[in-house]
């Protein structure tokens, strides 16, 4: 049985970085502008609720100051972990007054009279506003920063000011999340040996060198989201899914999407699907296989679903199985990336698409960080600016900061799909000229979702396991969005839930699920190889006569060329 209250033990800075990273899903959040958030908040908060909240703040604050009431400071709130908030009456009262005010302000958006998207957008904006006022975001209200300044004779304040000026000039005014100088793509990240064996204007295809004598007869092709660099699958050694799969005897290929330039403004869903089909054909040719396993993550998983529906409609079935990582197909499930969809955002994106605009990686990143401001903004503001520390050197945070843009056309089409929830509806979406019906896709599928995922709610991902034809295996981790995928063997306290009976109701599935200790990676590779039509001799060379090596991995496109 899935434990909804499973304790999240502190696994150190790296694990916290994984849990709070959230760069996947930018194709949907790109349409969420500040005016949409403000309009949503104005529609949600009623005058009566505002008066009631302010009255409660006044009454409870007076009681706190008079000593007639006490407010518990949550032990797990990292903002108030300094002992001064428990031992010093001034700081304790300041934190308590803030928590009372924060709670009442957040209660203003609990309005069931508005639709869930409007309510969740309001919750997002209110969360940004209230979290910004936490006392720990200011030097006077942060006892740890004050003690650091005294201990270092002011050096921390100098270093913090230097960090602030650097971020103001080079990071859009937001605190840096990672020491970018610690990593080099192709050297100590995205470093699994391989080569580019095919290149078009839109993508490169990498083929990885086998490390085993035999490989599964059916190769695996990775289908990443267009807005993300592919190498979240290939982080540092021993944390790389690509490395793990290759070492287990999987013949692995991956698409590397090009960062679109102004001349590529017309790229939309069908362009990406057409390129994915081309990549499948190249993979089949190089591997000498009739079929290919496809692993799509987030929007890449949505593309994989569309390809399955397209192949079912045309009768050309070259996809052997599909693996879907944190892939939403039911946009009617509240929360996550679906909150950005609205008539207003559609009109904004349509106007941008007509102008041929490219939505930059920086603007997408700026939207993402404000979805979790405590974890992705204020935490680093305190660390970098108030404490004067150097940003950490984590592979996942480096990848998170190394984004790429997308065309307004693609963002428009994905938002239209989200708002209409057309991927789930049989025939509701037409891709490559064919109506898509996921039930007609009779292939086995493997699904990964995260219990605490704030981008792709796990129930919205579970819907894919129900919608696709064939046998579905659904795996739930007790983690968040990116951390659900970056789940290497040996990871501390790793676990995942399984239940072979993929019933209609997600909660019923969870109630009957079994907890498995460790990473899902071995479970998945076992599943994949069991559906790979046996083994064949591992290729000794990369590519083949028709698709020769063009460059060593990771290629040109991941570097922005």
């Amino acid at each position: 049985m899935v434990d909804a209250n499973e304790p999240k033990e502190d696994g150190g800075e790296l694990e916290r970085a994984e849990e709070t990273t959230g760069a996947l899903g930018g194709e949907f959040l790109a349409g969420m502008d500040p005016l949409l958030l403000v309009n949503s908040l104005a529609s949600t908060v009623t005058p009566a609720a505002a008066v009631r909240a302010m009255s409660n703040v006044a009454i409870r604050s007076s009681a706190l100051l008079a000593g007639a009431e006490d407010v518990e400071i949550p032990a797990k709130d990292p903002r108030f972990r300094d002992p001064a908030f428990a031992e010093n009456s001034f700081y304790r009262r300041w934190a308590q007054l803030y928590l009372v005010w924060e709670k009442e302000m957040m209660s203003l958006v609990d309005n069931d009279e508005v639709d869930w998207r409007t309510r969740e957008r309001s919750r997002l904006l209110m969360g940004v506003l209230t979290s910004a006022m936490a006392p720990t975001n200011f030097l006077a209200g942060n006892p740890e920063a004050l003690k650091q300044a005294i201990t270092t004779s002011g050096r921390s304040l100098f270093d913090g000011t230097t960090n602030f000026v650097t971020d103001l000039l080079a990071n859009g005014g937001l605190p840096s999340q990672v020491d970018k100088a610690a990593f080099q793509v192709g050297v100590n990240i995205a470093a699994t040996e391989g080569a580019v064996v095919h290149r078009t204007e839109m993508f490169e295809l990498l083929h990885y060198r086998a490390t085993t004598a035999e490989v599964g007869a059916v190769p695996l092709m990775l289908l990443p989201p267009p807005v993300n660099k592919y190498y979240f699958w290939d982080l540092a050694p021993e944390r790389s899914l690509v490395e793990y799969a290759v070492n287990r005897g999987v013949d692995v290929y991956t698409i590397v999407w090009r960062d679109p330039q102004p001349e590529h403004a017309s790229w939309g869903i069908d362009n990406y699907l057409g390129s994915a089909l081309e990549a499948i054909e190249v993979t089949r040719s190089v591997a000498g296989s009739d079929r290919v396993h496809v692993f799509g993550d987030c929007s890449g998983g949505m593309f994989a679903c569309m390809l399955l529906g397209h192949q079912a409609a045309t009768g050309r079935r070259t996809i052997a199985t599909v693996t879907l990582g944190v892939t939403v197909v039911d946009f009617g499930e509240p929360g996550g990336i679906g909150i950005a969809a609205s008539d207003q955002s559609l009109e904004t994106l349509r106007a941008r698409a007509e102008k041929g605009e490219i939505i930059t990686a920086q603007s997408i990143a700026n939207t993402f960080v404000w979805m979790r401001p405590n974890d992705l903004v204020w935490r680093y503001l305190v660390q970098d600016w108030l404490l004067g520390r150097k940003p950490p050197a984590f592979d996942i945070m480096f990848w998170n900061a190394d984004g790429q843009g997308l065309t307004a056309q693609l963002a428009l089409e994905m938002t239209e799909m989200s708002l209409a929830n057309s991927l789930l509806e049989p025939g509701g979406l037409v891709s490559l000229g064919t109506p898509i019906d996921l039930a007609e896709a009779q292939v086995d599928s493997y699904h990964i979702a995260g219990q605490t995922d704030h981008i792709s709610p796990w129930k919205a991902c579970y819907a894919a396991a129900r919608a696709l034809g064939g046998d579905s295996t659904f795996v739930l981790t007790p983690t968040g969005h990116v951390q659900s995928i970056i789940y290497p063997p040996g990871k501390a306290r790793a676990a995942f839930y399984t239940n072979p009976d993929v019933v209609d109701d997600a909660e019923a599935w969870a109630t009957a699920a079994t907890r498995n200790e460790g990473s899902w990676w071995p479970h998945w590779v076992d599943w994949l190889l069991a559906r790979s039509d046996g083994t064949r001799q591992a290729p000794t060379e990369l590519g083949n006569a028709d698709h020769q090596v063009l460059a060593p991995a990771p290629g040109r496109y991941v570097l922005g060329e």
Side-chain angles (χ1 to χ4, degrees):
M1 178 178 178
V2 174
D3 183 1
N5 299 308
E6 180 166 342
K8 305 298 186 295
E9 298 181 43
D10 187 354
E13 285 294 320
L14 177 57
E15 188 165 314
R16 286 196 293 274
E18 290 174 350
E19 185 65 33
T20 57
T21 301
L24 298 166
E27 298 87 349
F28 300 91
L29 297 176
M32 190 163 60
D33 59 55
L35 184 58
L36 174 62
L37 296 177
V38 171
N39 290 340
S40 296
L41 185 62
S43 301
T44 303
V45 177
T46 65
V51 170
R52 182 172 60 251
M54 296 314 298
S55 176
N56 289 343
V57 169
I59 293 170
R60 296 194 64 194
S61 296
S62 297
L64 271 171
L65 293 173
E69 182 179 349
D70 193 38
V71 173
E72 182 180 359
I73 299 176
K76 293 185 178 181
D77 191 330
R79 297 175 296 179
F80 306 114
R81 64 186 178 187
D82 191 275
F85 288 108
E87 299 168 359
N88 184 287
S89 59
F90 173 78
Y91 280 111
R92 179 173 178 80
R93 282 288 182 264
W94 193 347
Q96 289 173 324
L97 289 169
Y98 166 74
L99 290 171
V100 166
W101 173 80
E102 180 187 44
K103 180 179 179 180
E104 292 297 335
M105 291 300 99
M106 292 305 299
S107 72
L108 291 175
V109 300
D110 293 331
N111 183 355
D112 293 335
E113 298 300 317
V114 298
D115 67 276
W116 72 264
R117 285 187 172 91
T118 299
R119 185 170 57 252
E120 290 305 313
R121 286 193 293 266
S122 301
R123 194 182 311 281
L124 172 61
L125 180 55
M126 187 64 81
V128 171
L129 297 174
T130 56
S131 64
M133 298 307 296
T136 47
N137 294 338
F138 306 92
L139 182 61
N142 194 311
E144 182 183 10
L146 289 173
K147 286 183 284 189
Q148 182 81 347
I150 294 171
T151 301
T152 62
S153 300
R155 178 71 194 191
S156 64
L157 297 181
F158 175 82
D159 291 342
T161 302
T162 302
N163 290 341
F164 167 73
V165 172
T166 300
D167 289 334
L168 189 64
L169 297 176
N171 200 47
L174 290 171
S176 297
Q177 300 173 354
V178 65
D179 177 12
K180 295 181 181 180
F183 296 96
Q184 184 177 350
V185 174
V187 177
N188 59 353
I189 193 169
T192 302
E193 185 180 0
V196 177
V197 296
H198 185 70
R199 180 185 292 129
T200 72
E201 187 178 16
M202 198 169 191
F203 75 96
E204 291 178 326
L205 185 72
L206 303 185
H207 181 200
Y208 291 99
R209 185 173 299 280
T211 60
T212 55
E214 293 186 332
V215 295
V218 178
L220 168 68
M221 189 194 81
L222 304 176
L223 177 52
V227 76
N228 299 112
K229 300 286 179 75
Y230 80 94
Y231 64 86
F232 66 91
W233 275 313
D234 191 21
L235 294 175
E238 299 185 3
R239 285 170 45 78
S240 165
L241 179 63
V242 168
E243 177 190 56
Y244 178 80
V246 167
N247 289 341
R248 285 287 310 276
V250 180
D251 190 15
V252 182
Y253 301 72
T254 187
I255 289 175
V256 182
W257 296 117
R258 188 178 187 181
D259 193 358
Q261 303 303 306
E263 62 268 26
H264 308 133
S266 63
W267 287 357
I269 289 177
D270 278 359
N271 300 92
Y272 283 95
L273 295 183
S275 289
L277 284 177
E278 181 178 348
I280 288 174
E281 290 306 304
V282 175
T283 300
R284 290 177 60 238
S285 170
V286 174
S289 174
D290 292 334
R291 301 182 302 154
V292 174
H293 299 299
V294 174
F295 186 162
D297 202 81
C298 202
S299 59
M302 298 172 205
F303 288 170
C305 288
M306 296 175 202
L307 291 176
L308 288 172
H310 172 70
Q311 291 203 339
T314 61
R316 179 172 174 77
R317 301 173 186 263
T318 57
I319 299 177
T321 71
V322 68
T323 300
L324 302 179
V326 292
T327 299
V328 171
V329 300
D330 183 4
F331 289 93
E333 185 67 36
I337 52 181
I339 71 171
S342 70
D343 292 335
Q344 181 179 336
S345 62
L346 275 182
E347 290 307 310
T348 300
L349 287 171
R350 186 169 288 111
R352 298 183 71 176
E354 289 173 355
K355 295 177 183 177
E357 290 188 20
I358 303 297
I359 301 172
T360 66
Q362 186 62 56
S363 66
I364 296 169
N366 289 348
T367 300
F368 264 111
V369 297
W370 293 113
M371 289 195 72
R372 297 190 69 173
N374 279 329
D375 295 324
L376 297 174
V377 180
W378 312 127
R379 168 188 170 192
Y380 292 100
L381 179 149
V382 170
Q383 295 292 315
D384 299 1
W385 297 355
L386 298 186
L387 295 173
R389 294 173 181 166
K390 188 177 180 179
F394 294 148
D395 56 4
I396 183 59
M397 299 307 294
F398 177 84
W399 166 80
N400 191 54
D402 186 23
Q404 56 188 37
L406 77 156
T407 66
Q409 181 63 38
L410 178 61
L412 170 64
E413 294 176 13
M414 298 295 274
T415 301
E416 287 175 333
M417 179 189 71
S418 169
L419 192 59
N421 206 13
S422 54
L423 182 57
L424 191 61
E425 179 184 350
L429 184 69
V430 175
S431 298
L432 297 174
T434 57
I436 303 302
D437 185 351
L438 299 183
E440 295 299 316
Q442 296 295 319
V443 300
D444 289 354
S445 56
Y446 191 102
H447 308 254
I448 309 104
Q451 187 180 0
T452 60
D453 191 338
H454 66 290
I455 299 294
S456 300
W458 77 267
K459 292 180 183 178
C461 300
Y462 182 84
R466 291 290 307 151
L468 288 171
D471 181 66
S472 294
T473 298
F474 188 80
V475 165
L476 184 65
T477 71
T479 56
H481 192 60
V482 176
Q483 193 185 24
S484 298
I485 306 302
I486 304 169
Y487 220 65
K491 184 179 179 68
R493 297 174 304 284
F496 62 97
Y497 293 91
T498 57
N499 177 0
D501 190 8
V502 183
V503 296
D504 290 342
D505 182 63
E507 285 293 349
W509 177 92
T511 299
T514 301
R515 179 185 171 94
N516 305 269
E517 299 299 328
S519 165
W520 58 264
W521 289 8
H523 183 265
W524 166 67
V525 171
D526 289 345
W527 177 92
L528 196 72
L529 291 176
R531 292 161 175 79
S532 292
D533 300 336
T535 61
R536 56 183 166 87
Q537 184 177 352
T540 57
E541 302 294 334
L542 298 173
N544 63 7
D546 294 326
H547 302 284
Q548 298 181 15
V549 170
L550 302 177
R556 289 167 35 190
Y557 287 171
V558 73
L559 301 177
E561 298 181 19

